[in-house]
């Protein structure tokens, strides 16, 4: 049977001159199609493949939730490196009293906070009595052989107040005579316990903390615990009257038992230049281990503020008024101490 005539798809009869040349090139140098050669097939262009839809930015963020913790860690690392860079280069601010707010927030408070929350388990009451802004003088009892109560009060104000305010403590001369302690106290916002510095801080809108008992409070024997000592001459009242700022009484329970002072080596204290040298059930018998405070349960309560802005300017020079206000503050702190002691079920729990 004769072979059927196959007409290629691009037959020259359907093309012009250009088509004939192209067909000839495809047929090769011999011209026509050889016997047995299959018919030419037209090239088929592939269909375009649609690109996958790119997610919107918010979708892309939602599709990688696992990277969120890593991003948070990266931010903390970047913040830490930035903090170190500022400390090394000196690119940070310190006020006229030596207070370094950045160092206090990021380092000192971070070190003291676990002690307050986990070790002493400080319970804070009445923090709403501290003004949200403006100056105020916080007056507290002093106890504990070592002045840890002032540091715990500073953490309590900063962490529990709605405005996270900083408390500037007035400290004794001895604090600023000790190496290392002097620098740390300045950086943490402490300043010398004098009327001039306290008034400047109050008038600039700062919270100022004072413990009028001084060394008489922290150096008293354990048998006199929670019995307030004399509040001095009432200089803190005069300072508050001049600045026109309220006085906030503060009562601290729990600090008396951290170092039960059962004795005082007065001769050794005079040799070392200390106001007292404590002897406790653990110190100095256990050496450095005896300096570890007992893990008592603390309560810090801030009482209702006593206003001073209603008095005339000359009231700060009235000794009778200062005596009455000093006695009012002292009685309010003492009454709250007795009330908290009655409510306390255990020294450690």
């Amino acid at each position: 049977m004769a072979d059927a005539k196959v007409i290629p798809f691009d037959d020259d009869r359907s093309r012009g001159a250009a088509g004939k040349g192209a067909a000839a090139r495809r047929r090769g140098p011999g011209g026509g199609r050889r016997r047995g050669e299959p018919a030419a097939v037209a090239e088929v262009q592939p269909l375009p493949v649609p690109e996958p839809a790119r997610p919107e930015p918010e979708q892309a963020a939602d599709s990688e939730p696992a990277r969120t913790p890593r991003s948070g860690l990266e931010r903390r690392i970047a913040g830490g490196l930035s903090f170190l860079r500022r400390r090394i280069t000196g690119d940070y601010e310190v006020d006229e009293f030596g207070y370094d707010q950045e160092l206090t927030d990021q380092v000192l408070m971070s070190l003291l906070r676990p002690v307050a929350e986990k070790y002493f388990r400080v319970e804070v009451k009445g923090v709403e009595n501290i003004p949200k802004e403006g100056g105020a003088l916080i007056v507290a009892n002093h106890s504990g052989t070592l002045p840890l109560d002032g540091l715990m009060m500073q953490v309590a104000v900063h962490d529990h107040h709605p405005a996270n305010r900083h408390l500037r403590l007035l400290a004794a001369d001895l604090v600023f005579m000790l190496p290392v302690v002097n620098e740390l106290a300045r950086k943490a916002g402490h300043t010398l316990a004098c009327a001039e510095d306290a008034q400047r801080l109050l008038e600039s809108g700062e919270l100022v903390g004072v413990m009028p008992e001084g060394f008489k409070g922290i150096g008293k024997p354990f048998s006199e615990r929670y019995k307030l000592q004399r509040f001095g001459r009432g200089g803190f009242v005069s300072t508050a009257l001049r600045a026109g700022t309220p006085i906030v009484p503060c009562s601290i329970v729990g600090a008396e038992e951290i170092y039960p002072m059962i004795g005082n080596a007065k001769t050794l204290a005079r040799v070392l230049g200390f106001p007292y040298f404590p002897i406790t059930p653990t110190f100095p018998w256990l050496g450095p281990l005896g300096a570890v405070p007992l893990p008592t349960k603390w309560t810090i309560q801030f009482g209702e503020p006593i206003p001073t802005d209603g008095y005339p300017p000359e009231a700060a020079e009235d000794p009778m008024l200062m005596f009455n206000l000093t006695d009012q503050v002292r009685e309010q702190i003492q009454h709250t101490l007795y009330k908290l002691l009655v409510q306390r079920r255990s020294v450690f729990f």
Side-chain angles (χ1 to χ4, degrees), residues 32 120 124 164-165 180 192-193 233 306-307:
F120 293 133
V124 181
N164 299 118
R165 302 198 63 181
V180 182
L192 190 64
R233 301 176 182 177
I306 300 172

Side-chain angles (χ1 to χ4, degrees), residues 174-304:
L174 180 61
V175 174
F176 301 102
M177 296 171 58
L178 299 175
V180 182
V181 175
N182 170 29
E183 291 296 328
L184 290 177
R186 290 286 186 187
K187 296 290 186 182
H190 305 175
T191 188
L192 190 64
C194 65
E196 292 78 10
D197 288 354
Q199 184 174 346
R200 287 165 60 191
L201 287 171
L202 289 173
E203 291 176 347
S204 62
E206 298 284 352
L207 288 180
V208 178
V210 61
M211 296 173 166
E213 293 176 281
F215 290 119
K216 299 188 301 294
I218 57 176
K220 64 179 180 289
F222 187 67
S223 59
E224 298 180 12
R225 60 190 179 278
Y226 298 114
K227 294 179 181 179
L228 293 182
Q229 305 298 302
R230 191 171 64 90
F231 269 20
R233 301 176 182 177
F236 67 92
V237 172
S238 177
T239 303
L241 287 170
R242 288 191 176 93
T245 54
I247 301 174
V248 181
C250 177
S251 302
I252 304 174
V253 167
E256 292 276 16
E257 294 88 1
I258 59 174
Y259 296 111
M261 186 170 167
I262 58 177
N264 180 13
K266 296 182 180 180
T267 303
L268 185 57
R270 284 195 297 269
V271 172
L272 297 176
F274 294 160
Y276 58 90
F277 189 89
I279 298 175
T280 72
T282 58
F283 182 83
W285 326 115
L286 299 182
L289 187 61
V292 177
L294 298 178
T296 59
K297 175 72 172 62
W298 287 37
T299 302
I300 299 178
Q301 180 164 335
F302 299 95
E304 295 184 3

Side-chain angles (χ1 to χ4, degrees), residues 238 241-242 308 310-322:
S238 177
L241 287 170
R242 288 191 176 93
T308 62
Y311 295 95
E314 61 272 13
E317 307 299 331
D318 186 348
M320 199 63 189
L321 176 61
M322 285 192 296

Side-chain angles (χ1 to χ4, degrees), residues 138-141 148-158 167 169 209-211 250 252 298 300 302:
I138 299 179
V139 182
N141 61 303
L148 298 181
D149 49 359
L151 299 177
M152 295 300 103
M153 184 171 63
Q154 190 175 8
V155 175
V157 172
H158 180 268
L167 181 64
L169 291 172
V210 61
M211 296 173 166
C250 177
I252 304 174
W298 287 37
I300 299 178
F302 299 95

